Amino acid sequence: MKNPRVELKTVYGEVLVELGADNPDIFVVEADLMKASGSKPFLENYPDRHINVGVAEQNLVGIAAGIAAAGGIPFACTMANFMAKRACDQVAMSVAYNMFNVKLVGCYAGLTQEKNGGTHISFMDIGVMRSMPGMTVLVPGDSEEFRQAVRAASVFQGPVYIRMPKLLQGSLPGKTYEFEIGPCYQYGNGNDLTVIATGLATDIALDSLQVLEEAGIAARVLHVPTIKPLDTESVIRCARETRACITIEDHATVGGLGGLIAETLTAACPVPLARIGMQDAFGLTADLEFQLEHFGITASHVAAEAIRLLDGRGQNE
Amino acid sequence: MSKDEQRIRTAEHWARKIRLDIIDMCCRVGPERKAHPGGALSAADIVAALYFDKMRIDPDTPQWPDRDRFILSKGHTCPVLYAALANRGYFSKDLYGTLRRVDGNLQGHPDMRKTPGVDMTTGSLGHGLAAGAGIAMSAKIDRKDFRVFVLLGDGELQEGLVWESAMASPRLGLTNLTVIIDINRLQSGGSVEQILPLHPLREKWASFGWNTIEINGHHMEEILAALDLAVLEQERPTAILARTVKGKGVKFMEDDNSWHQRTLTEEEYCLAVKMLESGGSA
């Protein structure tokens, strides 16, 4: 039985309170989305260090930059869609350009916006954020990893973007590591195929291992919680050790993990590659499972693409 | 001379020096790299008042945590800031020749990573007030008594972010924040009035909850008095609306928008120096 999905706002609220207790330099800046981000416990514990700038994402990031300029460590949170698009210039010019110690948290990220629909579903945030020079981009795969990513970001010097879906698995099955910024994490050792996954898609990638095995394909999953800087060594090693790669994400493949892996492997180790994710499309007004199915972000689609890439033949056949 | 007169004369002296250095930089930069002299000259008196009278700063310790901050939100007019910083002793005037050079300390827009004394990187218009509000908020929360001054252009007020920050600052209780608007009435494409009028500007800021003061931005006594009032204000952030003339101090540049971004020839430079040294545009 799988671990149930957990609402990350509970985790964010808890971890911020812990961080606030340890470090008086931690600030929380909001654009009136505390109901989505979950930072209210921080407001209750440290009202002086919690700033709600109103519904104004550019000002959210600009003020966070100012707080960092004065030596603080602001966690600025709004929906991932608005962080990446409305505040894009402030993230680039006021935060990244100055290498400020601002932590940007994009909540309700990706398809977990569900029935808020196409206007709210962020499918560009990874692409936008990883294009910012010097930005560290974290896309955790389960709620524990999200907690650890927030903690890691708080002690990391420099700008960080953390992708925060509404929900994630409590804990990915069979985990053997503690998250740190940088490494990819490998599940399994199959030599036919590497499924490269990030965020909530890692859980789906792990589900695909069983389906692939049934199809006679020995696969491994490479989970990428640090999109930038990418652990290129692990990606290239896995590409070399297997015959094909498939990326999977709840984000546009353009600019997202799919784009990133294509860029990396094309330059270093070209292998047959399929990229699963949103393809030149806005999100839908539908629940998560419906959207995952609609965009083909499923274990069965991974299997179908694997069979196509490998001409239907696993080495074990 | 009374103490007040002395303050005024001193600030005026430095404003003249700053203007001379602006035209020096805007000539030396060469025809290949045009700087923005017009809006730098319109802000010269205000910036002189800040750096040579009002601001609590220590050029030997540019990163002093308790220093007052200045943000030139209309970043393209950076020669005025560079001239103030050099005259105040943050760096040598030898750096003037590096303006807009690839490896220069004086970038085409203020870069806090490259230039000692620059408190915030600016250039993308409209960012300065938000950053200033963040710094002022930090000071308030940490119970520090430093102040933040942000200089905005009037054309720049067309950026939406300015108004997000203008709305938030009074609500956040930022009495330590002062905005000065350099109202030179010209922007890149022509007249502010024709492109996107701003009035009633004072009423706009007042209605957002700001303490507003209107001055002649070239009258040093008025500038200093307005800054004094801003510091005394206990209830609201202050917006000083300074009426200015683009190109002020060099008669052939005044109100001529071709000087928004343009390099002075040697002849123009010599003429401008004469005009400035004779004490004005007459």
Side-chain angles (χ1 to χ4, degrees), chain A residues 8-256:
Chain A
L8 291 193
K9 62 182 171 190
T10 314
V11 180
Y12 188 55
E14 283 169 9
V15 69
L16 284 179
V17 169
E18 288 167 28
L19 295 174
D22 293 342
N23 188 345
D25 290 335
I26 301 278
F27 291 76
V28 171
V29 196
E30 290 275 357
D32 202 36
L33 282 178
M34 281 89 80
K35 281 183 191 162
S37 77
S39 73
K40 206 171 165 199
F42 188 94
L43 171 66
E44 287 161 358
N45 281 274
Y46 313 104
D48 289 351
R49 289 189 271 148
H50 188 289
I51 302 154
N52 181 0
V53 304
V55 191
E57 292 77 16
Q58 299 179 58
N59 205 31
L60 168 83
V61 175
I63 283 185
I67 289 170
I73 307 172
F75 277 78
C77 183
T78 185
M79 286 178 179
N81 195 36
F82 309 136
M83 183 69 85
K85 296 192 311 203
R86 291 195 91 121
C88 181
D89 191 34
Q90 287 67 39
V91 171
M93 292 290 92
S94 290
V95 176
Y97 195 89
N98 296 317
M99 288 300 286
F100 275 152
N101 207 11
V102 175
K103 314 306 167 186
L104 304 160
V105 180
C107 70
Y108 277 43
L111 295 174
T112 63
Q113 275 278 9
E114 298 193 304
K115 288 164 191 166
N116 277 332
T119 57
H120 280 54
I121 287 169
S122 65
F123 56 92
M124 294 164 59
D125 56 307
I126 293 174
V128 168
M129 292 297 175
R130 80 179 178 88
S131 72
M132 303 276 178
M135 182 69 70
T136 292
V137 180
L138 306 180
V139 183
D142 68 25
S143 70
E144 246 339 278
E145 198 166 83
F146 173 74
R147 184 189 301 272
Q148 291 159 358
V150 174
R151 280 200 195 116
S154 75
V155 293
F156 179 87
Q157 183 63 41
V160 179
Y161 173 68
I162 305 174
R163 192 174 212 232
M164 175 184 174
K166 185 180 177 195
L167 303 154
L168 274 182
Q169 289 299 122
S171 180
L172 290 169
K175 243 170 84 167
T176 54
Y177 62 88
E178 285 280 307
F179 168 83
E180 53 185 296
I181 295 174
C184 293
Y185 299 100
Q186 188 178 331
Y187 292 80
N189 274 310
N191 283 334
D192 290 326
L193 176 77
T194 305
V195 185
I196 306 174
T198 194
L200 65 74
T202 295
D203 185 44
I204 297 162
L206 292 173
D207 285 346
S208 76
L209 286 177
Q210 179 70 33
V211 185
L212 289 162
E213 197 183 323
E214 285 162 13
I217 294 167
R220 64 180 70 178
V221 168
L222 192 65
H223 170 47
V224 188
T226 303
I227 290 283
K228 187 179 176 185
L230 179 66
D231 174 4
T232 48
E233 203 180 301
S234 293
V235 171
I236 293 165
R237 178 181 51 75
C238 284
R240 288 213 169 105
E241 288 172 0
T242 58
R243 296 158 55 211
C245 294
I246 295 176
T247 64
I248 182 165
E249 62 196 306
D250 70 323
H251 184 278
T253 54
V254 171

Side-chain angles (χ1 to χ4, degrees), chain A residues 27 48-49 51-53 55-60 62-67 69-70 72 89-90 93-94 97-100, chain B residues 69 107 111-114 119-121 124 127 130-135 137-138 141-143 146 160-161 164-165 168 172:
Chain A
F27 291 76
D48 289 351
R49 289 189 271 148
I51 302 154
N52 181 0
V53 304
V55 191
E57 292 77 16
Q58 299 179 58
N59 205 31
L60 168 83
I63 283 185
I67 289 170
D89 191 34
Q90 287 67 39
M93 292 290 92
S94 290
Y97 195 89
N98 296 317
M99 288 300 286
F100 275 152
Chain B
R69 267 68 164 186
Q107 294 284 294
D111 185 334
M112 63 188 298
R113 300 173 309 165
K114 297 256 169 78
D119 289 320
M120 181 57 61
T121 299
S124 184
H127 285 216
I135 297 173
M137 191 71 208
S138 259
I141 291 169
D142 293 340
R143 296 189 168 77
F146 67 79
L161 173 55
E164 291 188 6
S165 311
L172 296 172

Side-chain angles (χ1 to χ4, degrees), chain B:
Chain B
M1 204 187 287
S2 74
K3 200 180 157 213
D4 281 352
E5 271 175 16
Q6 212 168 356
R7 273 182 77 191
I8 295 162
R9 299 297 159 251
T10 303
E12 283 175 344
H13 163 79
W14 289 110
R16 196 152 45 243
K17 292 271 221 189
I18 286 170
R19 285 199 164 88
L20 282 164
D21 288 359
I22 289 169
I23 58 161
D24 176 16
M25 273 183 265
C26 293
C27 174
R28 250 204 271 180
V29 71
E32 301 296 312
R33 305 176 166 77
K34 297 180 183 73
H36 295 80
L41 289 167
S42 68
D45 298 296
I46 297 158
V47 173
L50 287 167
Y51 275 92
F52 291 91
D53 185 282
K54 206 68 212 167
M55 281 169 59
R56 184 179 73 188
I57 47 177
D58 176 7
D60 293 330
T61 320
Q63 296 301 317
W64 178 32
D66 292 342
R67 72 193 184 279
D68 287 345
R69 267 68 164 186
F70 174 69
I71 300 176
L72 182 68
S73 194
K74 42 176 261 178
H76 56 287
T77 64
C78 52
V80 69
L81 175 57
Y82 299 155
L85 291 171
N87 278 289
R88 197 69 174 75
Y90 282 88
F91 50 80
S92 159
K93 292 186 181 183
D94 294 346
L95 292 187
Y96 285 171
T98 73
L99 178 63
R100 290 185 166 249
R101 305 266 158 185
V102 61
D103 52 353
N105 288 91
L106 307 186
Q107 294 284 294
H109 293 82
D111 185 334
M112 63 188 298
R113 300 173 309 165
K114 297 256 169 78
T115 314
V118 170
D119 289 320
M120 181 57 61
T121 299
T122 51
S124 184
L125 288 173
H127 285 216
L129 183 51
I135 297 173
M137 191 71 208
S138 259
K140 222 174 83 84
I141 291 169
D142 293 340
R143 296 189 168 77
K144 302 260 193 179
D145 66 349
F146 67 79
R147 307 192 60 84
V148 183
F149 300 92
V150 181
L151 182 64
L152 298 162
D154 52 353
E156 183 183 12
L157 300 186
Q158 293 158 3
E159 290 282 3
L161 173 55
V162 172
W163 300 100
E164 291 188 6
S165 311
M167 228 186 309
S169 299
R171 171 71 184 84
L172 296 172
L174 304 181
T175 53
N176 52 351
L177 176 65
T178 300
V179 158
I180 305 123
I181 306 163
D182 177 2
I183 307 173
N184 65 29
R185 298 165 291 108
L186 292 170
Q187 59 189 95
S188 176
S191 141
V192 175
E193 176 64 24
Q194 283 171 12
I195 291 164
L196 191 60
L198 301 166
H199 55 232
L201 193 54
R202 182 171 190 169
E203 286 81 349
K204 279 192 175 78
W205 286 83
S207 71
F208 278 40
W210 289 69
N211 171 39
T212 57
I213 304 169
E214 256 183 299
I215 59 165
N216 174 341
H218 301 307
H219 194 282
M220 194 55 79
E221 189 176 355
E222 289 187 29
I223 297 170
L224 292 174
L227 291 171
D228 288 349
L229 283 174
V231 170
L232 287 174
E233 168 68 31
Q234 299 291 313
E235 303 286 320
R236 300 161 291 177
T238 294
I240 298 171
L241 286 72
R243 291 184 309 278
T244 61
V245 173
K246 203 160 179 173
K248 176 70 180 178
V250 180
K251 194 174 181 185
F252 65 85
M253 297 170 82
E254 287 184 358
D255 261 335
D256 176 353
N257 209 33
S258 74
W259 291 101
H260 175 80
Q261 183 174 19
R262 179 170 160 186
T263 296
L264 287 90
T265 63
E266 283 294 328
E267 295 72 31
E268 286 164 342
Y269 170 75
C270 292
L271 187 57
V273 169
K274 262 187 209 158
M275 286 173 168
L276 288 168
E277 284 181 340
S278 70
S281 53

